[in-house]
Amino acid sequence: MGHRNMNGTVELAQLRTFLAVYRAGSVTAGAAQTGLSQPTVTTQLQALERQLGRPLFERLPRGVAPLAAAHDLAARVAAPLDSLETVLGETPADGVPAPEHPVLLGGPAEMLAALALPALSSLVADGVRLTVTTGLADDLLTDLRVGKLDLVLSTIRPRGRTVLSEPLADEEFALVAAPSMAARIDLDRLRGGDHTALAGIPVVSYAADLPILRRYWRHVFDTRLEAEPALVVGDLRAVLSAVVSGAGISVLPRYLCSREFAAGTIAALLDPEDPPINTVFLARRVGGPAQPHVDRVRDRLVQEAVVWRTCEY
């Protein structure tokens, strides 16, 4: 790496300890993962910071927050250290294999709640441990590359040689409303392609700039949506709840609305031949030690995605 300390090059043990703390988010959790005491972990981190000439973490009341130098270092050492672990393996002194770490799964909160976690529940009951992180695709893929996650459900195609990805399923979007709201709309005009039939109808959105709705308008109506949202809430499940309650119209993924469609509490206002879709990818890092439980989670998600693709909502 080109960095030197009093004894020569930066020690491998320091880098392994750093990476454990970086991924775990705290000295305590990093110590548990490495089998070291907290004072030893702290000493190693301080030594590494001295040799690098800059701090790596901001100490918080609970845990640590990686600084820019930590992100840079993790990006450089994560893959080589994981590959080294694969080569060396782990041979416990008592001959009993250590329990597998929890599978670190990331993805959109709504898709995890509605599709992924129900599909994985039997694995959890069978002894697979899961730690789930929700967030934006770019942030989750960054965490995947440095080893803070094992698998990510991503609505954008991952790039780069450090990540393997495979198409998992397509999420189809629908323009939806409760029956009481649909009764206020001239559906014949709307289904004839006249989007002005929706003028004056309240809009419920995931974000103030209407990203999902604007995309739907461009794709289906070939025009720009000019509207101010009546209600903004940053969770698609809450958007669905508001639509069911009659607050307004919105555009939502069909999988999220399956129960409401079946119950008749909302309806799709249009059925376009070419609805807008997002392809969801399942991403994992290249290399690293063998993780049978990660493989089991991946295999189950791929298996269940076949059902997701064939469901009629």
Side-chain angles (χ1 to χ4, degrees), residues 171-193:
E171 56 176 358
E172 178 184 320
F173 290 89
L175 178 64
V176 297
S180 60
M181 185 61 64
R184 296 170 51 181
I185 301 168
D186 186 337
L187 295 180
D188 289 335
R189 279 178 55 203
L190 181 64
R191 291 165 184 171

Side-chain angles (χ1 to χ4, degrees), residues 76-299:
R76 296 167 62 189
V77 305
L81 288 178
D82 287 341
S83 296
L84 183 60
E85 292 294 337
T86 301
V87 173
L88 297 178
E90 296 185 9
T91 306
D94 58 6
V96 178
E100 286 202 39
H101 294 301
V103 178
L104 308 176
L105 174 65
E110 299 85 1
M111 178 168 285
L112 288 167
L115 296 178
L117 295 185
L120 298 172
S121 59
S122 63
L123 292 184
V124 175
D126 195 36
V128 173
R129 294 187 294 158
L130 277 175
T131 299
V132 176
T133 299
T134 63
L136 299 176
D138 283 331
D139 296 335
L140 295 173
L141 290 173
T142 296
D143 287 346
L144 177 69
R145 291 186 179 96
V146 298
K148 296 177 81 171
L149 293 172
D150 298 314
L151 295 167
V152 168
L153 294 171
S154 173
T155 53
I156 62 175
R157 182 188 293 274
R159 305 293 183 184
R161 292 176 294 177
T162 60
V163 173
L164 291 173
S165 67
E166 54 194 316
L168 194 65
D170 289 334
E171 56 176 358
E172 178 184 320
F173 290 89
L175 178 64
V176 297
S180 60
M181 185 61 64
R184 296 170 51 181
I185 301 168
D186 186 337
L187 295 180
D188 289 335
R189 279 178 55 203
L190 181 64
R191 291 165 184 171
D194 184 0
H195 63 87
T196 64
L198 297 172
I201 300 298
V203 172
V204 183
S205 179
Y206 175 82
D209 59 348
L210 309 172
I212 301 176
L213 286 121
R214 290 189 190 278
R215 182 185 172 198
Y216 188 95
W217 251 246
R218 287 195 306 269
H219 189 93
V220 175
F221 299 123
D222 194 25
T223 189
R224 177 180 174 83
L225 173 61
E226 300 291 348
E228 292 292 334
L231 172 61
V232 176
V233 55
D235 187 311
L236 292 180
R237 293 163 295 184
V239 171
L240 173 60
S241 178
V243 171
V244 169
S245 299
I249 62 171
S250 194
V251 173
L252 291 168
R254 279 187 171 270
Y255 74 79
L256 193 63
C257 310
S258 58
R259 293 178 182 175
E260 288 74 15
F261 283 146
T265 54
I266 64 168
L269 301 179
L270 288 174
D271 186 20
E273 292 184 3
D274 179 29
I277 62 170
N278 269 345
T279 299
V280 179
F281 297 88
L282 180 59
R284 67 183 300 175
R285 283 180 297 129
V286 175
Q291 296 177 285
H293 283 189
V294 173
D295 293 336
R296 290 182 68 185
V297 170
R298 178 264 170 197
D299 292 346

